[in-house]
Amino acid sequence: GAGVSQSPRYKVTKRGQDVALRCDPISGHVSLYWYRQALGQGPEFLTYFNYEAQQDKSGLPNDRFSAERPEGSISTLTIQRTEQRDSAMYRCASSRGGSTGELFFGEGSRLTVL
Amino acid sequence: AQSVTQLDSHVSVSEGTPVLLRCNYSSSYSPSLFWYVQHPNKGLQLLLKYTSAATLVKGINGFEAEFKKSETSFHLTKPSAHMSDAAEYFCVVSDRDGGSQGNLIFGKGTKLSVKP
């Protein structure tokens, strides 16, 4: 597509429910990244993929968080048993790959856990 | 470890006056440095990047930044602010020589307001 697309744009859920956030990167982009941005803070790295391989998941806060990119294109970030502290904007970005390439960000998915 | 400090959380200027958004970084390696801009309800957009070529980097919309190793700074400037420049700006560092290529470290952001 023309840009990075994320869905849903807004998600309100109750504590304890699972949520899945989807990212559709720019067509042909090798690398895909997930970031989390709390209110008043800059984005914080969660994980990234080259093609379908998860290269680094050191930013995932705990084992309730997981991500996959099974066919090297669309990615899903899943949060199990959500907690109120998971409320944030979740941002996906993609790039052509290679070191220090430009990241193209989607508009984000805002998650609110009640 | 890499880190970024944006010295001002909020900067307010009048239209037509210069803009200065300050950023200091800390890096164990030769850093790559970026400025990203975020307009309301939009995704983050790359303004400019420094990757060890020229120390003065020109970006989009008339912005530029100068890499000063001695001061560990990468301040963002623009000679004349426009109303459309009102947004949040993030200074970002990436470790080029090791670690994850995706592990960009963002500053907390500086909100730029432009008064008519």
Side-chain angles (χ1 to χ4, degrees):
Chain A
V4 177
S5 177
Q6 291 187 245
S7 61
R9 290 288 310 279
Y10 302 93
K11 176 71 177 178
V12 180
T13 190
K14 291 184 179 177
R15 190 177 51 184
Q17 298 292 307
D18 298 350
V19 297
L21 306 177
R22 173 188 161 121
C23 174
D24 195 349
I26 292 173
S27 179
H29 274 194
V30 167
S31 302
L32 183 147
Y33 311 81
W34 284 100
Y35 284 81
R36 177 169 72 171
Q37 186 175 11
L39 208 59
Q41 302 292 319
E44 213 175 10
F45 172 78
L46 294 177
T47 184
Y48 96 98
F49 296 81
N50 278 343
Y51 301 102
E52 73 283 358
Q54 192 169 20
Q55 298 292 325
D56 183 346
K57 55 181 181 179
S58 62
L60 296 176
N62 51 60
D63 60 8
R64 294 187 296 105
F65 287 73
S66 62
E68 61 174 11
R69 193 188 185 197
E71 295 177 2
S73 179
I74 291 169
S75 176
T76 303
L77 177 69
T78 301
I79 309 172
Q80 295 179 309
R81 306 180 302 281
T82 52
E83 300 177 6
Q84 285 186 325
R85 60 179 170 155
D86 299 335
S87 297
M89 176 73 84
Y90 288 82
R91 297 195 180 274
C92 177
S94 68
S95 78
R96 293 184 184 88
S99 60
T100 67
E102 177 179 354
L103 267 59
F104 294 81
F105 282 83
E107 293 182 347
S109 292
R110 181 169 294 285
L111 173 65
T112 303
V113 183
L114 302 176
Chain B
Q2 297 80 249
S3 67
V4 166
T5 302
Q6 290 185 245
L7 296 157
D8 306 295
S9 60
H10 193 193
V11 169
S12 182
V13 301
S14 296
E15 192 174 20
T17 65
V19 175
L20 170 64
L21 305 183
R22 298 182 293 166
C23 173
N24 286 95
Y25 69 91
S26 171
S27 177
S28 304
Y29 303 96
S30 299
S32 290
L33 293 158
F34 310 79
W35 276 97
Y36 276 82
V37 61
Q38 183 176 331
H39 287 93
N41 299 317
K42 300 282 187 185
L44 289 146
Q45 181 186 19
L46 180 68
L47 265 183
L48 50 80
K49 66 178 179 182
Y50 165 78
T51 54
S52 83
T55 56
L56 182 62
V57 182
K58 293 189 185 300
I60 61 172
N61 301 335
F63 284 93
E64 60 183 38
E66 187 171 7
F67 173 71
K68 291 187 176 179
K69 188 174 181 179
S70 60
E71 299 176 10
T72 60
S73 70
F74 190 57
H75 302 331
L76 182 70
T77 60
K78 182 173 180 177
S80 174
H82 191 272
M83 296 296 292
S84 61
D85 294 329
E88 189 158 20
Y89 293 79
F90 292 93
C91 184
V92 183
V93 65
S94 170
D95 180 355
R96 260 186 332 128
D97 291 328
S100 164
Q101 73 185 56
N103 198 352
L104 299 182
I105 310 296
F106 283 74
K108 290 188 176 181
T110 299
K111 284 187 181 158
L112 176 65
S113 300
V114 182
K115 298 174 289 189

